[in-house]
Amino acid sequence: MDYLATNLKFDSNGLIPVITQDYKTNEVLMLAYMNKEAYEKTIETKKVHYWSRSRSKLWLKGETSGHYQYVKSICVDCDNDTLLIKVEQVDAACHTGHYTCFYRDVNADGSVKENAEEVKPVGDKSAIL
Amino acid sequence: MDYLATNLKFDSNGLIPVITQDYKTNEVLMLAYMNKEAYEKTIETKKVHYWSRSRSKLWLKGETSGHYQYVKSICVDCDNDTLLIKVEQVDAACHTGHYTCFYRDVNADGSVKENAEEVKPVGDKSAIL
């Protein structure tokens, strides 16, 4: 039985939040959303697909940038309403070019500062693409 | 200037998703939501507060269970609409008693299986409480 297809809890917009994490370092890369189709495409292709809320369309991560996310493992939380996907990230998860979208620390005074340690060099993607 | 207080993007329900991560291992513990008050209480007390969507009330994590989350660092994502908080987790993040809410793997056939490796022994909390 496909437990998830019948038990995953999508919200009132038909979406479920997805945390994407580097499978080697456990660094959190981004949070985005899937609808049922994006989930099924991810399972089928082993490349992470999301639902783009800003463009209202299915979004194969890396389709235009080449920055694909290859699925290594998927976990579901206790309430069946959040997914955690460990991936092999090509180059950078963030549209700014940073490896992770969480490249800014919040200081005690509420200001934010770029965390240089989070920025990783862009690798050679020729081996993967 | 308190950058976050003025720039954080709360959704139409006044909430922002928060990923909580073990500060030592980078293990993702849970995803929950904050409203502005929960965010401010978290900054003020250094203990993570959420907004309970099921109970519609401010929720100091650990208030009844003792399973507090002590803030070690906070990051904000590129769009200012998700927070990542690294914490020292007392005992267990999940209400099931598991250390993380993501204690189940999704298999290739869509079934789920408890990942025993994610379950950690309950520690001695007397040193912390």
Side-chain angles (χ1 to χ4, degrees):
Chain A
M1 187 186 105
D2 188 336
Y3 176 86
L4 281 186
T6 52
N7 289 278
L8 266 193
K9 288 183 193 160
F10 294 90
D11 68 14
S12 58
N13 295 312
L15 302 178
I16 187 167
V18 179
I19 303 165
T20 315
Q21 192 176 24
D22 182 292
Y23 82 109
K24 284 186 180 167
T25 64
N26 277 347
E27 185 173 20
V28 172
L29 303 177
M30 57 189 284
L31 177 80
Y33 297 83
M34 286 183 180
N35 62 0
K36 194 163 184 292
E37 183 185 7
Y39 173 74
E40 291 169 343
K41 285 280 186 188
T42 298
I43 297 291
E44 178 190 327
T45 64
K46 305 287 185 195
K47 291 179 187 171
V48 180
H49 291 66
Y50 300 104
W51 175 258
S52 169
R53 296 181 302 169
S54 58
R55 291 177 287 139
S56 296
K57 61 178 286 193
L58 188 71
W59 164 32
L60 163 58
K61 175 74 176 169
E63 189 170 20
T64 54
S65 65
H67 298 174
Y68 295 104
Q69 295 177 327
Y70 294 96
V71 175
K72 293 295 184 178
S73 65
I74 303 179
C75 290
V76 61
D77 78 341
C78 52
D79 296 325
N80 297 313
D81 64 3
T82 307
L83 293 172
L84 174 66
I85 304 189
K86 294 194 179 188
V87 302
E88 180 178 343
Q89 173 68 56
V90 177
D91 284 353
C94 188
H95 72 285
T96 60
H98 293 81
Y99 189 66
T100 168
C101 292
F102 297 95
Y103 60 87
R104 293 176 301 159
D105 288 334
V106 179
N107 298 317
D109 64 358
S111 64
V112 299
K113 184 181 176 187
E114 190 155 329
N115 179 349
E117 293 176 358
E118 299 292 334
V119 183
K120 295 184 178 173
V122 171
D124 174 11
K125 63 184 175 184
S126 61
I128 296 172
L129 296 179
Chain B
M1 187 185 106
D2 189 336
Y3 176 87
L4 281 185
T6 52
N7 289 277
L8 266 192
K9 289 183 192 160
F10 294 90
D11 68 14
S12 57
N13 295 313
L15 302 177
I16 188 167
V18 180
I19 302 165
T20 315
Q21 192 176 25
D22 182 291
Y23 83 109
K24 283 186 180 167
T25 65
N26 277 347
E27 186 173 19
V28 173
L29 303 176
M30 58 189 285
L31 178 81
Y33 297 83
M34 287 182 179
N35 61 1
K36 194 163 183 292
E37 183 185 5
Y39 172 75
E40 289 169 345
K41 286 279 186 189
T42 298
I43 297 291
E44 179 189 326
T45 65
K46 304 288 186 195
K47 291 180 188 171
V48 179
H49 291 65
Y50 300 105
W51 176 257
S52 169
R53 296 181 302 168
S54 58
R55 291 177 288 139
S56 296
K57 62 177 286 195
L58 188 70
W59 163 32
L60 164 58
K61 174 74 177 171
E63 190 170 20
T64 55
S65 65
H67 298 173
Y68 295 104
Q69 295 178 329
Y70 294 96
V71 175
K72 293 294 184 178
S73 65
I74 303 178
C75 291
V76 61
D77 78 341
C78 52
D79 296 327
N80 296 315
D81 64 3
T82 307
L83 293 173
L84 175 66
I85 303 189
K86 294 195 180 187
V87 301
E88 181 179 343
Q89 172 68 56
V90 177
D91 283 355
C94 188
H95 71 287
T96 61
H98 293 81
Y99 188 67
T100 169
C101 292
F102 297 95
Y103 59 88
R104 294 176 301 160
D105 289 333
V106 179
N107 299 317
D109 65 359
S111 64
V112 299
K113 185 181 175 187
E114 191 155 328
N115 178 350
E117 293 175 358
E118 299 292 334
V119 184
K120 295 184 178 174
V122 171
D124 174 12
K125 62 184 175 184
S126 60
I128 296 172
L129 295 179

